Amino acid sequence: MTNAQNKNPTDIKKTRYINPKKTPQFRHRFARGFRETSWSDKPDQPGGVTAPKMVGTPPVEHWNLGIGPINCHAWNKDRTQLAVSASSNEIYIFQWSGQWKQTHVLAEHDLPITGIDWAPNTNRIVSCSQDKNAFVWTFENDQWKPALVLVRISKAATSVKWSPLENKFAVGSGSKLVSVCYYEKENDWWVAKQIKKPIRSTVTCLDWHANNVLLGVGACDFKARVYSAYVKEVDEKPGPNPWGTRLPFGNLLAELPSLGWVHNVSFSPSGLRLAWVSHDSSISMVDANVNIDDISTLRTKHLPFNAVKWVSENSIVAAGHDCSPMLFSVVDNKLQFACKLDIPSESKASSVNSAFQKFRNFDRNAVNEAVNVQLKTLHQNAITQILPHSGRSDNLQKFTTCGIDGLIALWDLKNNTAVVR
């Protein structure tokens, strides 16, 4: 008798039917096919980063540089080079040549870097760190050479910003002060003058006025302030402006209350308006040409914003823990929410449409549906910074964001001309 004849009929009845769609081989082929039609951030060559690939046209151009969470970035003048810090003590310089390629690593700091700014005309990079130091980097003989700055702070530096004329820069710190640094030719080094009063907590953010003298400062004492940062050694004597007429160094011109610690401040292109975002999920604005005491504050339903930037004289972009840039408009000197700039695309098919179907699938297949933790936004974690990319300061066309998810995203405002005022 053959083996088939020896089989007991009861054994044949007990043979379980195997669905080929539930075999490991099918699952592997299905997963492989899904990955081929999804976003891909893998570089074509080792050491290079290419733009993501997707079936169809991606809504926003973006890159994953493969260095981890990015807390700050800076562009050179022609936007062909990018400096980024991945929450470490190193600065990575990338060059665009069809794809991003790492060209230099600046590793003079000892602790995580908290701020980077790239002067477009002098081609100098300034950086600050938790190690209480700041360096000015100059490109010579195909190398970036650091120059130590005498910042004179006893706690971590938190932010840094070049002035519009690039002859000085400001450094915020946990020492409850701002150091305004300039180059002293006689001694061939960078020295600092300090603004202290009446700051009562850590300085979190800075922004320069277009006249190269006024400085916007945000701090954890629930205040945004405007100071005179006039340095007679490098600046011409300034004239009066709507913020004030007396402009000696360190003079407080405006003290603006907030309902939370201030994450970011930004002057408008004309310099007449100052906007700031706070940890209470609010965005505020004041116009010095109207009334400094008349503050327009908009309490939003969103998570707190980390960054704010004027894209025109009447439009502001803010972004933060909601992982999406949002556009606000100024109408009759009042802030209004315009729209979200990151609009998720509609899913073509959904495997689970209701709670009833979830339970039915669980009962039928004896397996639970996988939980999808991916956000509907491009950034998958908090946005940490907004920088201008293309266009004039009073008519910004493109801007970039960086985030804790490691992405650099390039946003085009041409498609939102109807809402950008």
Short mmCIF file of all heavy atoms in Angstrom, two decimals, residues 138-145:
data_model
loop_
_atom_site.label_atom_id
_atom_site.label_comp_id
_atom_site.label_asym_id
_atom_site.label_seq_id
_atom_site.Cartn_x
_atom_site.Cartn_y
_atom_site.Cartn_z
N THR A 138 35.77 80.97 10.07
CA THR A 138 36.15 81.60 8.81
C THR A 138 36.70 80.55 7.86
O THR A 138 37.53 79.71 8.27
CB THR A 138 37.21 82.70 9.04
OG1 THR A 138 36.72 83.61 10.03
CG2 THR A 138 37.48 83.46 7.76
N PHE A 139 36.28 80.59 6.60
CA PHE A 139 36.70 79.59 5.62
C PHE A 139 37.98 80.05 4.95
O PHE A 139 38.01 81.03 4.20
CB PHE A 139 35.60 79.38 4.58
CG PHE A 139 35.80 78.17 3.72
CD1 PHE A 139 35.70 76.90 4.25
CD2 PHE A 139 36.08 78.30 2.37
CE1 PHE A 139 35.87 75.77 3.46
CE2 PHE A 139 36.26 77.20 1.56
CZ PHE A 139 36.15 75.92 2.12
N GLU A 140 39.09 79.35 5.22
CA GLU A 140 40.40 79.67 4.65
C GLU A 140 41.10 78.38 4.24
O GLU A 140 41.14 77.42 5.01
CB GLU A 140 41.27 80.43 5.66
CG GLU A 140 40.72 81.77 6.09
CD GLU A 140 41.58 82.45 7.14
OE1 GLU A 140 42.60 81.82 7.53
OE2 GLU A 140 41.24 83.55 7.57
N ASN A 141 41.66 78.39 3.03
CA ASN A 141 42.42 77.25 2.52
C ASN A 141 41.63 75.93 2.62
O ASN A 141 42.14 74.90 3.08
CB ASN A 141 43.76 77.11 3.27
CG ASN A 141 44.63 78.34 3.13
OD1 ASN A 141 44.67 78.96 2.07
ND2 ASN A 141 45.31 78.71 4.20
N ASP A 142 40.38 76.02 2.20
CA ASP A 142 39.50 74.86 2.16
C ASP A 142 39.25 74.26 3.54
O ASP A 142 38.91 73.09 3.67
CB ASP A 142 40.08 73.78 1.24
CG ASP A 142 39.00 72.83 0.73
OD1 ASP A 142 37.85 73.28 0.55
OD2 ASP A 142 39.30 71.63 0.54
N GLN A 143 39.40 75.08 4.59
CA GLN A 143 39.14 74.63 5.95
C GLN A 143 38.40 75.73 6.72
O GLN A 143 38.59 76.91 6.46
CB GLN A 143 40.45 74.29 6.68
CG GLN A 143 41.19 73.09 6.12
CD GLN A 143 40.45 71.78 6.34
OE1 GLN A 143 39.73 71.61 7.33
NE2 GLN A 143 40.61 70.85 5.40
N TRP A 144 37.55 75.30 7.66
CA TRP A 144 36.88 76.23 8.55
C TRP A 144 37.71 76.40 9.82
O TRP A 144 37.91 75.43 10.55
CB TRP A 144 35.47 75.73 8.89
CG TRP A 144 34.50 75.84 7.76
CD1 TRP A 144 34.13 74.87 6.89
CD2 TRP A 144 33.77 77.01 7.38
NE1 TRP A 144 33.22 75.34 5.97
CE2 TRP A 144 32.97 76.67 6.26
CE3 TRP A 144 33.70 78.32 7.86
CZ2 TRP A 144 32.12 77.56 5.62
CZ3 TRP A 144 32.86 79.21 7.24
CH2 TRP A 144 32.09 78.84 6.13
N LYS A 145 38.17 77.63 10.05
CA LYS A 145 39.03 77.91 11.20
C LYS A 145 38.25 78.68 12.27
O LYS A 145 37.63 79.70 11.97
CB LYS A 145 40.26 78.71 10.77
CG LYS A 145 41.14 77.95 9.78
CD LYS A 145 42.38 78.74 9.42
CE LYS A 145 43.28 77.95 8.47
NZ LYS A 145 44.50 78.71 8.09
#
